[in-house]
Amino acid sequence: MRRTFHLGLGKNHIGAAVDEELRFHVEMREQQLRAAGLSEAAARAEALRHFGDFRGVRQSCVSLDEDRERIMKRVRYVDELRQDVGFALRALRRNPSFALIAVLTLAVGIGANTAIFSLIDALVLRPLPVSAPQELVALGNTARTGSMSNGSVRADLFSAPLYRDLRDHNTAFTGLLASGRTSRLDVQIDSGAGTLEHPAGRFVSGNYFRVLGVPARIGRMLDSADDEVVGAAPIVVISDAYWLRRFSGDRSIIGHDVTINGTKLTVVGVAAAGFTGDVVGKSNDIWLPLSVEPVVQPHAKLLDNRASSWLLLLGRRRPGITFAQAQARMVPLVHQMLIDHATFADDTADLRRIPVPIQPAPNGFSTIRKTYQAPLLTLLGGVALLLLIICANVANLLLARAIARTPEISIRLAMGAGRGRLLRQLMTESAVLALASAALGLALAWAGSKALIAMAAAG
């Protein structure tokens, strides 16, 4: 039974072969010495003495044979792999219907799973490309990225004055940034040119990039001084993608003036590559400091209006402060700031009952996350089950094909092919099928992701 399943692998056979060869040389010398008249014991002792260090010679021979066999195995493996791949391609070409069915069915399963998981990763799992995203905490309803509220006091969105109060008085965060919507931006890149562009923009506090830990690719980022005086710092920062797409990576863009809604602003920096903002699913092209809001949107008057709630806040926890501690500190502070600036029409008891959404935010804000997270997870479970069914069907096809190839396998075994060699050949054929299916599946995943994004955008 042991010999039946022996594949001739390992190092033992090398040692056995060396022992046999050395034994042959010693025995030949013994025969010569016995023929010269020595007794059997004396001939044996003299043969071993003439041979020298038997163990040293044996170890040297074993090492040389192992090195030679290792090199030969490597050369033989590459050659056999090339033969196996060529044979697998010819076998699939001889049976195109089987190959087409297997590749297409596997590609559908792989593509569907990859497309759905890619969206889940982008919306739910992937953290923002910023420094230590696990330290970020969001204040406000993270789904209301483009919302605006006037009149009623609330804490799912924040006014600019309330943000400044929380920024200056909180003890939970090393920094607290604000981020809010812009109206449509009419941007004119070249003075005198009549063509207007409408890049995606967002108003942010001066400490926005510092709190997130996003460096500049070129130029500089906004800083807190840019928010000190209203309209005193007419500057903007643009994204790396917008810089490459619109300006072809021209480094002279730093210091270049652009006109936004009729106001001239200077480009002072380009954000690091890969950073598109704090809102998942929306790639920002331009970031404007809050201080320019009155000049870019002169009719909105949001910067000093406590009745206009339009900002979401993102804080970075202090070292040693847990999320629960940050929540315990910030919720009472928000209520206290609302009470301190309440009007006669506000009821203090009601203000203390206003809910303050606060949650960990390593992956930023998103309007579509809450809407599509549950359906996408359900869909992922469905396509995973579909992939399992597909794999079972393809396995049945391969099993039926293997049964049909029994005469071929028998002939190969009869001609001296080892079991390990046949196993590598069959595994290579399966690998070729898997690689072809994966390649087509990735193409289907790319097209499927585009289609799902278009469907989500259309509601």
Short mmCIF file of all heavy atoms in Angstrom, two decimals, residues 17-76:
data_model
loop_
_atom_site.label_atom_id
_atom_site.label_comp_id
_atom_site.label_asym_id
_atom_site.label_seq_id
_atom_site.Cartn_x
_atom_site.Cartn_y
_atom_site.Cartn_z
N ALA A 17 20.38 6.51 -2.97
CA ALA A 17 21.16 6.31 -4.19
C ALA A 17 22.66 6.50 -3.92
O ALA A 17 23.50 5.74 -4.44
CB ALA A 17 20.69 7.28 -5.27
N VAL A 18 23.01 7.52 -3.12
CA VAL A 18 24.42 7.75 -2.79
C VAL A 18 24.98 6.58 -1.98
O VAL A 18 26.10 6.08 -2.23
CB VAL A 18 24.58 9.07 -2.02
CG1 VAL A 18 26.00 9.20 -1.45
CG2 VAL A 18 24.28 10.24 -2.93
N ASP A 19 24.21 6.07 -1.01
CA ASP A 19 24.65 4.92 -0.21
C ASP A 19 24.90 3.70 -1.09
O ASP A 19 25.90 2.97 -0.91
CB ASP A 19 23.61 4.58 0.85
CG ASP A 19 23.56 5.64 1.96
OD1 ASP A 19 24.55 6.39 2.10
OD2 ASP A 19 22.53 5.71 2.65
N GLU A 20 24.01 3.50 -2.04
CA GLU A 20 24.16 2.35 -2.93
C GLU A 20 25.41 2.47 -3.79
O GLU A 20 26.15 1.50 -4.00
CB GLU A 20 22.91 2.21 -3.80
CG GLU A 20 22.91 0.98 -4.69
CD GLU A 20 21.61 0.83 -5.47
OE1 GLU A 20 20.67 1.60 -5.21
OE2 GLU A 20 21.54 -0.08 -6.33
N GLU A 21 25.67 3.68 -4.28
CA GLU A 21 26.85 3.88 -5.11
C GLU A 21 28.14 3.71 -4.30
O GLU A 21 29.11 3.07 -4.76
CB GLU A 21 26.80 5.29 -5.73
CG GLU A 21 27.96 5.55 -6.69
CD GLU A 21 27.85 6.90 -7.37
OE1 GLU A 21 26.83 7.58 -7.15
OE2 GLU A 21 28.78 7.28 -8.08
N LEU A 22 28.20 4.27 -3.10
CA LEU A 22 29.39 4.12 -2.26
C LEU A 22 29.60 2.65 -1.87
O LEU A 22 30.76 2.17 -1.82
CB LEU A 22 29.25 4.99 -1.00
CG LEU A 22 29.23 6.51 -1.24
CD1 LEU A 22 29.06 7.24 0.09
CD2 LEU A 22 30.51 6.98 -1.93
N ARG A 23 28.50 1.96 -1.58
CA ARG A 23 28.61 0.56 -1.23
C ARG A 23 29.20 -0.25 -2.39
O ARG A 23 30.01 -1.17 -2.20
CB ARG A 23 27.22 0.02 -0.85
CG ARG A 23 27.26 -1.39 -0.27
CD ARG A 23 25.85 -1.92 0.02
NE ARG A 23 25.06 -0.97 0.78
CZ ARG A 23 24.02 -0.31 0.31
NH1 ARG A 23 23.64 -0.51 -0.96
NH2 ARG A 23 23.35 0.53 1.06
N PHE A 24 28.81 0.12 -3.61
CA PHE A 24 29.33 -0.56 -4.79
C PHE A 24 30.85 -0.39 -4.89
O PHE A 24 31.59 -1.35 -5.14
CB PHE A 24 28.64 -0.01 -6.04
CG PHE A 24 29.27 -0.46 -7.33
CD1 PHE A 24 29.04 -1.74 -7.83
CD2 PHE A 24 30.13 0.38 -8.04
CE1 PHE A 24 29.63 -2.16 -9.01
CE2 PHE A 24 30.71 -0.04 -9.22
CZ PHE A 24 30.47 -1.31 -9.71
N HIS A 25 31.35 0.85 -4.70
CA HIS A 25 32.78 1.10 -4.81
C HIS A 25 33.55 0.36 -3.71
O HIS A 25 34.64 -0.22 -3.97
CB HIS A 25 33.07 2.60 -4.71
CG HIS A 25 32.65 3.37 -5.92
ND1 HIS A 25 33.27 3.22 -7.15
CD2 HIS A 25 31.66 4.29 -6.12
CE1 HIS A 25 32.70 4.02 -8.03
NE2 HIS A 25 31.71 4.69 -7.42
N VAL A 26 33.03 0.34 -2.48
CA VAL A 26 33.71 -0.37 -1.40
C VAL A 26 33.75 -1.88 -1.67
O VAL A 26 34.79 -2.56 -1.47
CB VAL A 26 33.02 -0.06 -0.06
CG1 VAL A 26 33.59 -0.94 1.06
CG2 VAL A 26 33.20 1.40 0.31
N GLU A 27 32.62 -2.42 -2.15
CA GLU A 27 32.57 -3.86 -2.43
C GLU A 27 33.52 -4.25 -3.56
O GLU A 27 34.17 -5.32 -3.51
CB GLU A 27 31.13 -4.27 -2.77
CG GLU A 27 30.20 -4.23 -1.56
CD GLU A 27 28.76 -4.54 -1.95
OE1 GLU A 27 28.49 -4.64 -3.17
OE2 GLU A 27 27.91 -4.65 -1.04
N MET A 28 33.63 -3.39 -4.60
CA MET A 28 34.57 -3.68 -5.68
C MET A 28 36.00 -3.71 -5.16
O MET A 28 36.82 -4.57 -5.55
CB MET A 28 34.42 -2.65 -6.79
CG MET A 28 33.11 -2.74 -7.55
SD MET A 28 32.95 -4.32 -8.44
CE MET A 28 34.28 -4.18 -9.64
N ARG A 29 36.35 -2.78 -4.26
CA ARG A 29 37.70 -2.77 -3.69
C ARG A 29 37.94 -4.00 -2.82
O ARG A 29 39.04 -4.58 -2.83
CB ARG A 29 37.87 -1.49 -2.87
CG ARG A 29 39.25 -1.33 -2.25
CD ARG A 29 40.30 -1.24 -3.32
NE ARG A 29 41.62 -1.02 -2.75
CZ ARG A 29 42.77 -1.21 -3.40
NH1 ARG A 29 42.75 -1.66 -4.66
NH2 ARG A 29 43.93 -0.97 -2.81
N GLU A 30 36.90 -4.41 -2.06
CA GLU A 30 37.03 -5.61 -1.24
C GLU A 30 37.32 -6.83 -2.10
O GLU A 30 38.18 -7.68 -1.77
CB GLU A 30 35.73 -5.84 -0.45
CG GLU A 30 35.56 -4.97 0.77
CD GLU A 30 34.29 -5.35 1.53
OE1 GLU A 30 34.04 -6.56 1.71
OE2 GLU A 30 33.57 -4.43 1.93
N GLN A 31 36.62 -6.96 -3.22
CA GLN A 31 36.83 -8.11 -4.10
C GLN A 31 38.26 -8.15 -4.62
O GLN A 31 38.89 -9.21 -4.71
CB GLN A 31 35.83 -8.06 -5.26
CG GLN A 31 34.39 -8.31 -4.86
CD GLN A 31 33.44 -8.21 -6.05
OE1 GLN A 31 33.88 -8.14 -7.20
NE2 GLN A 31 32.14 -8.21 -5.75
N GLN A 32 38.79 -6.97 -4.98
CA GLN A 32 40.16 -6.91 -5.46
C GLN A 32 41.14 -7.36 -4.37
O GLN A 32 42.11 -8.09 -4.63
CB GLN A 32 40.50 -5.49 -5.93
CG GLN A 32 39.75 -5.05 -7.16
CD GLN A 32 40.03 -3.58 -7.50
OE1 GLN A 32 40.77 -2.89 -6.80
NE2 GLN A 32 39.42 -3.13 -8.60
N LEU A 33 40.93 -6.91 -3.12
CA LEU A 33 41.83 -7.25 -2.03
C LEU A 33 41.72 -8.73 -1.66
O LEU A 33 42.73 -9.39 -1.32
CB LEU A 33 41.52 -6.37 -0.80
CG LEU A 33 41.85 -4.88 -0.96
CD1 LEU A 33 41.34 -4.09 0.24
CD2 LEU A 33 43.36 -4.69 -1.11
N ARG A 34 40.49 -9.31 -1.72
CA ARG A 34 40.34 -10.74 -1.43
C ARG A 34 41.03 -11.58 -2.51
O ARG A 34 41.63 -12.63 -2.24
CB ARG A 34 38.86 -11.12 -1.33
CG ARG A 34 38.22 -10.68 0.00
CD ARG A 34 36.93 -11.46 0.25
NE ARG A 34 35.95 -11.32 -0.83
CZ ARG A 34 35.03 -10.36 -0.88
NH1 ARG A 34 34.97 -9.45 0.10
NH2 ARG A 34 34.19 -10.30 -1.88
N ALA A 35 40.94 -11.07 -3.75
CA ALA A 35 41.63 -11.77 -4.83
C ALA A 35 43.14 -11.73 -4.65
O ALA A 35 43.86 -12.63 -5.12
CB ALA A 35 41.25 -11.15 -6.18
N ALA A 36 43.66 -10.71 -3.94
CA ALA A 36 45.10 -10.59 -3.67
C ALA A 36 45.51 -11.43 -2.48
O ALA A 36 46.71 -11.45 -2.11
CB ALA A 36 45.47 -9.13 -3.43
N GLY A 37 44.58 -12.13 -1.80
CA GLY A 37 44.92 -13.04 -0.73
C GLY A 37 44.51 -12.61 0.66
O GLY A 37 44.76 -13.34 1.62
N LEU A 38 43.89 -11.45 0.83
CA LEU A 38 43.47 -11.01 2.16
C LEU A 38 42.17 -11.69 2.56
O LEU A 38 41.34 -12.08 1.72
CB LEU A 38 43.28 -9.50 2.19
CG LEU A 38 44.53 -8.62 1.98
CD1 LEU A 38 44.15 -7.15 2.03
CD2 LEU A 38 45.60 -8.94 3.02
N SER A 39 42.02 -11.84 3.88
CA SER A 39 40.77 -12.40 4.39
C SER A 39 39.62 -11.39 4.19
O SER A 39 39.84 -10.20 3.91
CB SER A 39 40.91 -12.74 5.87
OG SER A 39 41.10 -11.55 6.64
N GLU A 40 38.40 -11.89 4.39
CA GLU A 40 37.22 -11.02 4.19
C GLU A 40 37.24 -9.83 5.14
O GLU A 40 37.00 -8.69 4.73
CB GLU A 40 35.95 -11.83 4.36
CG GLU A 40 34.68 -11.02 4.12
CD GLU A 40 33.42 -11.87 4.21
OE1 GLU A 40 33.52 -13.11 4.23
OE2 GLU A 40 32.33 -11.26 4.25
N ALA A 41 37.53 -10.06 6.43
CA ALA A 41 37.54 -8.95 7.41
C ALA A 41 38.67 -7.97 7.12
O ALA A 41 38.50 -6.75 7.18
CB ALA A 41 37.69 -9.53 8.82
N ALA A 42 39.85 -8.53 6.78
CA ALA A 42 40.98 -7.63 6.49
C ALA A 42 40.75 -6.84 5.22
O ALA A 42 41.09 -5.65 5.12
CB ALA A 42 42.27 -8.47 6.36
N ALA A 43 40.12 -7.50 4.19
CA ALA A 43 39.83 -6.79 2.94
C ALA A 43 38.82 -5.66 3.18
O ALA A 43 38.95 -4.57 2.62
CB ALA A 43 39.29 -7.78 1.92
N ARG A 44 37.85 -5.97 4.04
CA ARG A 44 36.84 -4.92 4.36
C ARG A 44 37.48 -3.73 5.05
O ARG A 44 37.24 -2.57 4.71
CB ARG A 44 35.75 -5.53 5.25
CG ARG A 44 34.69 -4.55 5.74
CD ARG A 44 33.79 -4.14 4.64
NE ARG A 44 32.74 -3.24 5.10
CZ ARG A 44 31.84 -2.67 4.31
NH1 ARG A 44 31.87 -2.90 3.00
NH2 ARG A 44 30.92 -1.88 4.80
N ALA A 45 38.31 -4.00 6.04
CA ALA A 45 38.96 -2.91 6.79
C ALA A 45 39.91 -2.12 5.89
O ALA A 45 39.97 -0.89 5.94
CB ALA A 45 39.71 -3.50 7.98
N GLU A 46 40.65 -2.83 5.03
CA GLU A 46 41.60 -2.13 4.15
C GLU A 46 40.85 -1.29 3.11
O GLU A 46 41.28 -0.17 2.76
CB GLU A 46 42.49 -3.16 3.46
CG GLU A 46 43.57 -2.57 2.57
CD GLU A 46 44.60 -1.77 3.35
OE1 GLU A 46 44.66 -1.91 4.61
OE2 GLU A 46 45.32 -0.97 2.72
N ALA A 47 39.72 -1.79 2.61
CA ALA A 47 38.93 -1.03 1.62
C ALA A 47 38.39 0.27 2.23
O ALA A 47 38.43 1.33 1.58
CB ALA A 47 37.79 -1.90 1.10
N LEU A 48 37.92 0.16 3.47
CA LEU A 48 37.40 1.36 4.12
C LEU A 48 38.52 2.35 4.43
O LEU A 48 38.34 3.57 4.34
CB LEU A 48 36.66 0.98 5.41
CG LEU A 48 35.33 0.23 5.25
CD1 LEU A 48 34.78 -0.19 6.60
CD2 LEU A 48 34.32 1.12 4.51
N ARG A 49 39.74 1.81 4.79
CA ARG A 49 40.86 2.71 5.07
C ARG A 49 41.29 3.45 3.82
O ARG A 49 41.58 4.65 3.85
CB ARG A 49 42.02 1.89 5.63
CG ARG A 49 43.18 2.75 6.16
CD ARG A 49 44.30 1.87 6.66
NE ARG A 49 44.94 1.15 5.57
CZ ARG A 49 45.86 1.71 4.72
NH1 ARG A 49 46.21 2.96 4.88
NH2 ARG A 49 46.38 0.98 3.76
N HIS A 50 41.34 2.75 2.71
CA HIS A 50 41.71 3.39 1.44
C HIS A 50 40.66 4.41 1.00
O HIS A 50 40.98 5.42 0.37
CB HIS A 50 41.91 2.32 0.36
CG HIS A 50 43.27 1.71 0.36
ND1 HIS A 50 44.35 2.26 -0.31
CD2 HIS A 50 43.73 0.59 0.97
CE1 HIS A 50 45.41 1.51 -0.11
NE2 HIS A 50 45.06 0.47 0.68
N PHE A 51 39.40 4.13 1.32
CA PHE A 51 38.31 5.05 0.92
C PHE A 51 38.42 6.39 1.64
O PHE A 51 38.07 7.43 1.09
CB PHE A 51 36.94 4.40 1.19
CG PHE A 51 35.83 5.06 0.45
CD1 PHE A 51 35.50 4.67 -0.83
CD2 PHE A 51 35.12 6.09 1.05
CE1 PHE A 51 34.48 5.30 -1.52
CE2 PHE A 51 34.08 6.72 0.37
CZ PHE A 51 33.76 6.32 -0.92
N GLY A 52 38.87 6.40 2.86
CA GLY A 52 39.04 7.64 3.61
C GLY A 52 37.82 7.95 4.48
O GLY A 52 37.20 7.04 5.04
N ASP A 53 37.50 9.28 4.58
CA ASP A 53 36.38 9.74 5.43
C ASP A 53 35.05 9.38 4.76
O ASP A 53 34.54 10.13 3.92
CB ASP A 53 36.49 11.26 5.64
CG ASP A 53 35.42 11.78 6.59
OD1 ASP A 53 34.69 10.96 7.17
OD2 ASP A 53 35.32 13.02 6.74
N PHE A 54 34.50 8.23 5.14
CA PHE A 54 33.30 7.72 4.48
C PHE A 54 32.12 8.67 4.68
O PHE A 54 31.41 9.01 3.72
CB PHE A 54 32.97 6.33 5.04
CG PHE A 54 31.85 5.66 4.31
CD1 PHE A 54 32.08 4.90 3.17
CD2 PHE A 54 30.53 5.78 4.76
CE1 PHE A 54 31.03 4.28 2.50
CE2 PHE A 54 29.49 5.16 4.09
CZ PHE A 54 29.75 4.42 2.97
N ARG A 55 31.91 9.13 5.92
CA ARG A 55 30.76 10.01 6.19
C ARG A 55 30.91 11.35 5.49
O ARG A 55 29.93 11.92 4.98
CB ARG A 55 30.63 10.22 7.69
CG ARG A 55 30.16 8.99 8.44
CD ARG A 55 29.91 9.30 9.90
NE ARG A 55 29.42 8.14 10.61
CZ ARG A 55 29.11 8.15 11.91
NH1 ARG A 55 29.25 9.26 12.61
NH2 ARG A 55 28.67 7.04 12.48
N GLY A 56 32.13 11.89 5.48
CA GLY A 56 32.35 13.18 4.81
C GLY A 56 32.10 13.09 3.32
O GLY A 56 31.48 13.97 2.72
N VAL A 57 32.60 11.99 2.70
CA VAL A 57 32.38 11.80 1.27
C VAL A 57 30.89 11.64 0.98
O VAL A 57 30.35 12.20 0.00
CB VAL A 57 33.17 10.58 0.77
CG1 VAL A 57 32.79 10.24 -0.67
CG2 VAL A 57 34.66 10.85 0.88
N ARG A 58 30.20 10.87 1.85
CA ARG A 58 28.76 10.67 1.64
C ARG A 58 28.01 11.99 1.70
O ARG A 58 27.18 12.28 0.84
CB ARG A 58 28.20 9.71 2.70
CG ARG A 58 26.70 9.46 2.55
CD ARG A 58 26.14 8.64 3.70
NE ARG A 58 24.74 8.35 3.50
CZ ARG A 58 23.75 9.22 3.73
NH1 ARG A 58 24.02 10.45 4.18
NH2 ARG A 58 22.50 8.86 3.49
N GLN A 59 28.30 12.82 2.72
CA GLN A 59 27.60 14.10 2.86
C GLN A 59 27.88 15.02 1.68
O GLN A 59 27.00 15.71 1.18
CB GLN A 59 28.02 14.79 4.17
CG GLN A 59 27.28 16.08 4.46
CD GLN A 59 25.79 15.88 4.56
OE1 GLN A 59 25.33 14.91 5.16
NE2 GLN A 59 25.02 16.79 3.95
N SER A 60 29.13 15.01 1.20
CA SER A 60 29.48 15.85 0.05
C SER A 60 28.73 15.39 -1.19
O SER A 60 28.20 16.21 -1.96
CB SER A 60 30.99 15.79 -0.18
OG SER A 60 31.35 16.54 -1.32
N CYS A 61 28.65 14.08 -1.40
CA CYS A 61 27.93 13.57 -2.57
C CYS A 61 26.44 13.89 -2.49
O CYS A 61 25.81 14.25 -3.50
CB CYS A 61 28.14 12.05 -2.67
SG CYS A 61 29.82 11.57 -3.13
N VAL A 62 25.85 13.72 -1.29
CA VAL A 62 24.43 14.03 -1.12
C VAL A 62 24.17 15.50 -1.41
O VAL A 62 23.20 15.85 -2.10
CB VAL A 62 23.97 13.65 0.30
CG1 VAL A 62 22.58 14.21 0.57
CG2 VAL A 62 23.96 12.14 0.48
N SER A 63 25.02 16.40 -0.91
CA SER A 63 24.83 17.84 -1.14
C SER A 63 24.91 18.17 -2.62
O SER A 63 24.10 18.94 -3.15
CB SER A 63 25.87 18.64 -0.35
OG SER A 63 25.74 18.42 1.04
N LEU A 64 25.92 17.59 -3.31
CA LEU A 64 26.07 17.85 -4.76
C LEU A 64 24.85 17.34 -5.53
O LEU A 64 24.34 18.02 -6.43
CB LEU A 64 27.34 17.19 -5.27
CG LEU A 64 28.67 17.83 -4.82
CD1 LEU A 64 29.84 16.98 -5.28
CD2 LEU A 64 28.79 19.25 -5.38
N ASP A 65 24.39 16.13 -5.17
CA ASP A 65 23.23 15.58 -5.88
C ASP A 65 21.96 16.38 -5.61
O ASP A 65 21.12 16.56 -6.51
CB ASP A 65 23.02 14.13 -5.46
CG ASP A 65 24.04 13.19 -6.11
OD1 ASP A 65 24.80 13.68 -6.96
OD2 ASP A 65 24.06 12.00 -5.75
N GLU A 66 21.81 16.86 -4.37
CA GLU A 66 20.63 17.68 -4.05
C GLU A 66 20.64 18.98 -4.83
O GLU A 66 19.61 19.42 -5.35
CB GLU A 66 20.58 17.96 -2.55
CG GLU A 66 20.17 16.76 -1.72
CD GLU A 66 20.20 17.06 -0.23
OE1 GLU A 66 20.71 18.15 0.13
OE2 GLU A 66 19.75 16.22 0.57
N ASP A 67 21.80 19.64 -4.92
CA ASP A 67 21.89 20.89 -5.70
C ASP A 67 21.59 20.63 -7.17
O ASP A 67 20.85 21.40 -7.81
CB ASP A 67 23.29 21.49 -5.56
CG ASP A 67 23.55 22.02 -4.16
OD1 ASP A 67 22.58 22.24 -3.42
OD2 ASP A 67 24.74 22.19 -3.80
N ARG A 68 22.16 19.55 -7.71
CA ARG A 68 21.92 19.23 -9.12
C ARG A 68 20.45 18.92 -9.37
O ARG A 68 19.86 19.36 -10.36
CB ARG A 68 22.80 18.05 -9.54
CG ARG A 68 22.67 17.68 -11.02
CD ARG A 68 23.76 16.74 -11.49
NE ARG A 68 23.77 15.51 -10.70
CZ ARG A 68 24.71 15.18 -9.81
NH1 ARG A 68 25.73 16.01 -9.60
NH2 ARG A 68 24.65 14.03 -9.15
N GLU A 69 19.85 18.16 -8.46
CA GLU A 69 18.44 17.81 -8.64
C GLU A 69 17.54 19.04 -8.50
O GLU A 69 16.54 19.17 -9.23
CB GLU A 69 18.03 16.75 -7.62
CG GLU A 69 16.56 16.34 -7.77
CD GLU A 69 16.24 15.03 -7.09
OE1 GLU A 69 17.01 14.07 -7.27
OE2 GLU A 69 15.24 14.99 -6.38
N ARG A 70 17.92 19.96 -7.58
CA ARG A 70 17.13 21.18 -7.43
C ARG A 70 17.15 22.00 -8.71
O ARG A 70 16.12 22.52 -9.16
CB ARG A 70 17.68 22.00 -6.26
CG ARG A 70 16.78 23.16 -5.85
CD ARG A 70 17.39 23.94 -4.69
NE ARG A 70 17.63 23.09 -3.54
CZ ARG A 70 18.85 22.77 -3.08
NH1 ARG A 70 19.93 23.26 -3.68
NH2 ARG A 70 18.99 22.00 -2.03
N ILE A 71 18.31 22.12 -9.33
CA ILE A 71 18.41 22.88 -10.59
C ILE A 71 17.63 22.18 -11.70
O ILE A 71 16.90 22.81 -12.46
CB ILE A 71 19.90 23.03 -10.99
CG1 ILE A 71 20.62 23.91 -9.95
CG2 ILE A 71 20.02 23.65 -12.37
CD1 ILE A 71 22.12 23.97 -10.16
N MET A 72 17.78 20.86 -11.78
CA MET A 72 17.08 20.11 -12.82
C MET A 72 15.57 20.18 -12.63
O MET A 72 14.81 20.29 -13.60
CB MET A 72 17.54 18.65 -12.81
CG MET A 72 18.99 18.46 -13.25
SD MET A 72 19.30 19.11 -14.91
CE MET A 72 18.23 18.05 -15.87
N LYS A 73 15.12 20.13 -11.36
CA LYS A 73 13.68 20.24 -11.10
C LYS A 73 13.14 21.59 -11.55
O LYS A 73 12.05 21.67 -12.12
CB LYS A 73 13.41 20.03 -9.61
CG LYS A 73 13.29 18.58 -9.19
CD LYS A 73 12.87 18.48 -7.72
CE LYS A 73 12.64 17.05 -7.31
NZ LYS A 73 12.22 16.95 -5.89
N ARG A 74 13.93 22.66 -11.27
CA ARG A 74 13.48 23.98 -11.65
C ARG A 74 13.35 24.09 -13.17
O ARG A 74 12.36 24.61 -13.70
CB ARG A 74 14.44 25.04 -11.11
CG ARG A 74 13.95 26.47 -11.26
CD ARG A 74 14.95 27.46 -10.70
NE ARG A 74 15.20 27.22 -9.29
CZ ARG A 74 16.38 26.92 -8.77
NH1 ARG A 74 17.44 26.80 -9.57
NH2 ARG A 74 16.53 26.73 -7.47
N VAL A 75 14.38 23.60 -13.87
CA VAL A 75 14.34 23.65 -15.34
C VAL A 75 13.21 22.78 -15.87
O VAL A 75 12.44 23.18 -16.76
CB VAL A 75 15.70 23.20 -15.91
CG1 VAL A 75 15.62 23.10 -17.43
CG2 VAL A 75 16.79 24.18 -15.50
N ARG A 76 13.07 21.60 -15.28
CA ARG A 76 12.03 20.68 -15.74
C ARG A 76 10.64 21.21 -15.42
O ARG A 76 9.71 21.05 -16.22
CB ARG A 76 12.24 19.31 -15.07
CG ARG A 76 11.36 18.22 -15.64
CD ARG A 76 11.81 16.84 -15.19
NE ARG A 76 11.73 16.72 -13.74
CZ ARG A 76 12.80 16.59 -12.95
NH1 ARG A 76 14.02 16.62 -13.46
NH2 ARG A 76 12.64 16.46 -11.63
#
